[in-house]
Amino acid sequence: MKHSIHYFALFSIWLFATASSGQTRLINDKDIADETNSEDWLAYGRTHNEQRYSPLTQINQKSVAKMGVDWHLDLPGDVGLVSTPLVIDGVMYFTGSMNIVRAVDALTGAVLWQHDPKVAEEVVGHKRAGWVHNRGLSAYGNKIFAATWDGRLQALDRNSGKLLWSTRTFGLEEPLYITGAPKAFKGKVLIGNGGTEAGPTRGYVSAYDTETGELAWRFYIVPGNPEDGFEDETMEMAAETWSGNWWEHGGGGNAWHAFTYDEELDQLYIGTGNGSPWNQKLRSPDGGDNLFLCSVVALDPDTGEYLWHYQTVPGETWDYNSNMDIVLADLTLEGRDVKALMHAPKNGFFYVLDRRTGTLLSAEKFADTNWATHIDLATGRPVERQGARYEDGSENIFPSPFGAHSWHAMSYNPKTGLVYLPTIHLSADFIDESYNTQWRSVAFEGGTAVDWSQGADPRDYSGELQAWDPVTQQKRWSVPQSDPWASGTLTTAGGLVFQGEANGHFSAYDASSGETVWTFDAGLGISAPPITYAIDGKQYVSVLVGYGGGYASGLTPGSERLGWAYGVHTRRLLTFSLEGKKTVPQQPAPHYPEPLIEADFAVNNSLAEKGAGLFIQHACYACHGLGAISGGMAPDLRASAMFFSEMTQPLRGIVREGKRLDRGMPGYPDMSDAELVALRHYIRREAHAQTDINWE
Ligand code: CA
């Protein structure tokens, strides 16, 4: 009897502990690597191999026609949404604008907790570069990890959202930013940064202890000044591939996106960025490969020591970074089983590597690409076309700096053997005539040391969803899209591929044929990749709706024609199921901001030119759009009365004092009244000039 009471007591304690601490399952690498766990979505790419393939089959080619909205959560304060949600034990976690992390009941959409890292308070009084969106989170142990625009890495208690630790990964005086998801593995959490174009930056990744937030190791992507001594032999080796005083330009290589942990081989892969500045003639004047720019670099996950690398663009000079997803799979190539690594970077080639060694197995063009004719499999190096380096001053090159593929995740379905790849078709004219050896980039003013402009009519800019066979290196099927910048993809054992588009359509395609089998009009562009999960045997598909990212920011013309004007449409999280019958409040129609005319304002053209220069120099275009034409991520200044003459005081408050910091608008304390006047002339000139444009 005594014996059974004892057990009953223990059982009660266990029950109490489970109930009071909620879902305390400690997530480890075996969990994250488990392909058979269909209920959760534990990591950015679902599992450690980043395939974004779910074994769920309830929603399939036949049943998907019945799919409808099961629940939705409106996010009225949010702007661009680009993140991949995680789902753990029935709770969904995702990142919104200004890096706010929310946990919601994955069954109902009810908000359980919210963590606001108060980015605006952190950056007040500092110059900042970058964006206020972020691509996602990482889970490990009992924690959720998030990174902020301003460079903090934070650990949150998964149950309560309580901040457990927070660490700075770079100083606020550095022209760096983070838009990427951290990557947790083996008790460490890794993060890099962006900023290659924001000033003279030297890229690196850092790994921190998941429990304490202590720095475990740091790997620099490019070598520093030799006079300061190299960190290790790897940097000494890398320095052999540079020339001139590259360190004065930073070198770049910033790892802002792709981090993959290979649980099977116990290796970490990072995708590295392009050079700072882009133009190699200035960065490394006597050439050289410039390691480890534009590479997949394999590191020891425990120490950060270099293992191997494969460089996709030796001596890069077109912003062709290799920051795109790194997907792991077992492939059979010519009868041989291969531990493969798949990578489709900006440069337009699809690469398959043997990830034990980094050896190139195959590489073929997956998009319009003319900078290189092919990749020489014997040397692993691209064969560049004559003139591609714009040595003669100007050259039309495919792809553009937006890349043939950007951060929009590709997925791999082991049942079809196909990769579902969001593709961009666009060229650019590269012009370096106005740059000489005296050129220097300035922190927070940035620059690329080459002019570029869209090489084709903006309306020729198109997208494509393609199914790519990584074994034969051929396209199997294609869905042409009139707009580029569609979301990342999800694929399932139900024989489906899901993708959202810039035009607001969220569709399911037959994974084998590419046939459209279901479409939902979300009424607002979709940039975030969909996920799927299951609770009590019921399958759900979720996607964040909220046009976002660089193209959505108006970095190139085209986005504004979609009509996703700033502040008009409600951002929301949509979740679908086969039983879903909810109606979602309709979005307003596409809206096209009408440039305002200040009738008695006389534009002074030389002041307007000065203002145009300031608009570029301070990277205003990065959110408000090139030519002051907003893509929707920030107000269209041509349609803002703020630039009317009588609004001087409020304008000072916003531009100089940072009064809209809470919306992600940095303050520019050094901006003089004369410069504000020049900006006003520029905005008024653009408003007056463009009133005849009607994108409808
Ligand atoms: Ca770049």
Side-chain angles (χ1 to χ4, degrees), residues 38 75 80 139 141 155 165 195 216 251 253 265-266 273 277 315 349 369 406 441 445 477 515 557 561 585 591 655:
S38 58
L75 303 162
W165 56 255
L265 302 185
D266 193 27
F349 286 90
T369 301
S406 192
S441 102
E445 294 181 8
W477 55 255
E515 186 196 342
R561 68 182 150 158
H591 176 74
V655 177

Side-chain angles (χ1 to χ4, degrees), residues 476-490:
R476 282 278 200 85
W477 55 255
S478 163
V479 178
Q481 294 163 337
S482 55
D483 295 288
W485 214 252
S487 83
T489 62
L490 157 71

Side-chain angles (χ1 to χ4, degrees), residues 196-197 256 274 278 319 321 346:
T196 312
E197 289 80 21
W256 51 265
N274 55 281
W278 295 0
D319 188 23
N321 59 56
K346 275 186 178 181

Side-chain angles (χ1 to χ4, degrees), residues 39 130 140 216 413 542 585:
E39 301 214 323
Y140 205 86
N413 189 322
S542 285

